[in-house]
Amino acid sequence: MTSTAGLENTDVALLMRQRAFIFPGWEETLLGQIRDLHSQIYSYYILQKKIQETPIILPSGMMLKARLKTGLSGQFSAPDSVTFAEGCLYVADPEEEQIFVFSQQGRLIRTFGQNIRKPIAITLDLEGNIVVLNNGTNSIQVYDPLSGDLLVAHAPFPDDKRYDPIGIVVDHSGNFLISDFEQHIIRRVSPAGKVIGSIGSPGSGFGQLRAPVGLAVDIKGTIWVADSGNNRISRFTSIGFPLCSYGEDSFQDPWAVAVGQDGVFVVSDMNHYRLQIWGSTDEGDFRGFWQSNIRLDPPGTDETSLPRGLSIAPDGTIYVADWGNGEILVVGQYIY
């Protein structure tokens, strides 16, 4: 029988003595419930203390407008990348092995998946076609955005585990820029599908990369890299010379970066479960961060959101692939 030492002068001990007839083993059950309640209260206190110690800055206008949670089985499995084109949102889900197309109002229009295997990233080429990077085959497919028909396919890398292509964007010359998570570089691939150069080198020094993931190219042609292993965002010139980096002390596994037309850039700070918003000065101009929610999960569950892919629409609306919760978050325009 469990000892009640230390509880003699409490209301709990009195209740225990008065209700000893309830059922065998009642002390163990009640004490277990007390311990669970204490653990939850303690965890909640620690979480609230952490939140209070962190200045939450919400840029004006940034609010959750909608959640898109539609897949073949009723919900996405693990949406990983998004892009916005011609008034439609395109979502790549590696587990479903499909591209989902939504209207700007959030209605599912269609899906396509011809020759797609583990689509890890999605972007647009200079003609507005949908470019899909397949992590399962180390290949690139280009699709017509209206019909979903396959236009061309490239296999610039061997289907080898030493290569791990994970992010893609198209530069102003029409070349594909592809981040290689395992090789720690960015490869430049011609429109014909031939590797014609690389950006960065493995390491943590200036201009080096470690486990690069998401990529972006701004209106000036500058290349942006979510350098997840170094917990920073790195910038390179259009021809690959390093310029600067941001946020070494601010990010935890940054997964993607998107640059608005005004030069403001947004980062999915994955393991901080939030977005960060910065101005693109050379020194870095932190503007604030945004979180959809903060969850206190019961032990043994995995419900914490993990923001991954990002896309900024022309009106400033941000679309976020929430890989952890299997949904797309539609975040209102940022206003400064």
Side-chain angles (χ1 to χ4, degrees):
M1 183 175 293
T2 303
S3 171
T4 59
L7 296 175
E8 289 82 356
N9 296 322
T10 67
D11 291 338
V12 172
L14 179 61
L15 177 64
M16 291 167 69
R17 287 193 291 270
Q18 289 175 343
R19 298 182 178 266
F21 59 89
I22 296 177
F23 56 86
W26 57 269
E27 298 106 318
E28 182 68 30
T29 299
L30 184 57
L31 285 172
Q33 292 174 347
I34 292 170
R35 284 193 294 268
D36 289 345
L37 180 60
H38 176 269
S39 176
Q40 291 182 41
I41 293 172
Y42 178 77
S43 298
Y44 181 78
Y45 169 77
I46 293 298
L47 180 64
Q48 291 300 315
K49 186 173 186 292
K50 182 178 179 180
I51 294 169
Q52 291 168 5
E53 289 174 349
T54 305
I56 296 181
I57 308 170
L58 297 176
S60 174
M62 288 193 68
M63 59 181 293
L64 184 65
K65 296 172 62 177
R67 297 177 186 268
L68 307 181
K69 205 175 179 75
T70 303
L72 292 180
S73 58
Q75 62 181 15
F76 292 117
S77 295
D80 214 317
S81 183
V82 294
T83 193
F84 189 85
E86 300 298 329
C88 291
L89 179 71
Y90 295 80
V91 181
D93 188 324
E95 297 303 316
E96 298 267 1
E97 297 194 325
Q98 290 283 314
I99 304 301
F100 298 89
V101 186
F102 290 87
S103 70
Q104 197 164 359
Q105 291 72 39
R107 181 176 59 86
L108 180 63
I109 300 173
R110 65 183 183 279
T111 65
F112 60 90
Q114 182 185 358
N115 299 324
I116 287 179
R117 184 179 168 206
K118 301 296 181 186
I120 196 73
I122 187 170
T123 190
L124 303 176
D125 67 12
L126 298 184
E127 297 177 356
N129 297 312
I130 306 300
V131 179
V132 178
L133 177 65
N134 284 309
N135 184 261
T137 57
N138 292 351
S139 61
I140 304 166
Q141 276 83 37
V142 182
Y143 294 86
D144 183 282
L146 298 178
S147 66
D149 292 338
L150 179 64
L151 300 177
V152 66
H154 302 297
F157 316 121
D159 190 2
D160 188 314
K161 291 184 178 179
R162 292 175 300 171
Y163 298 87
D164 190 8
I166 200 167
I168 190 168
V169 74
V170 174
D171 68 16
H172 286 192
S173 298
N175 299 308
F176 305 105
L177 302 177
I178 300 173
S179 56
D180 190 319
F181 193 83
E182 291 293 331
Q183 300 292 318
H184 311 293
I185 61 172
I186 309 300
R187 288 192 173 85
R188 196 186 301 268
V189 177
S190 73
K194 304 296 183 182
V195 177
I196 56 175
S198 64
I199 297 171
S201 62
S204 299
F206 180 66
Q208 293 185 312
L209 302 169
R210 188 154 60 94
V213 189
L215 302 171
V217 173
D218 64 22
I219 58 175
K220 297 179 180 179
T222 304
I223 300 164
W224 300 69
V225 183
D227 188 0
S228 69
N230 288 320
N231 290 320
R232 65 191 182 192
I233 301 299
S234 296
R235 286 174 64 196
F236 295 83
T237 67
S238 60
I239 59 174
F241 290 124
L243 290 172
C244 60
S245 61
Y246 305 95
E248 283 87 345
D249 299 322
S250 302
F251 301 120
Q252 185 64 44
D253 293 327
W255 191 265
V257 56
V259 186
Q261 295 179 351
D262 53 2
V264 170
F265 66 96
V266 181
V267 179
S268 56
D269 190 6
M270 185 173 68
N271 282 327
H272 280 151
Y273 320 117
R274 65 190 182 188
L275 306 182
Q276 289 201 34
I277 301 91
W278 291 66
S280 56
T281 62
D282 288 343
E283 296 78 18
D285 176 17
F286 175 71
R287 303 288 182 87
F289 64 79
W290 181 88
Q291 291 172 292
S292 63
N293 54 10
I294 298 175
R295 302 182 179 184
L296 182 62
D297 297 330
T301 65
D302 184 17
E303 296 182 356
T304 308
S305 63
L306 290 172
R308 287 202 175 185
L310 291 171
S311 183
I312 302 177
D315 67 355
T317 299
I318 304 170
Y319 295 88
V320 186
D322 185 348
W323 186 85
N325 285 321
E327 61 191 11
I328 303 300
L329 304 180
V330 184
V331 183
Q333 297 94 331
Y334 54 80
I335 303 171
Y336 299 101

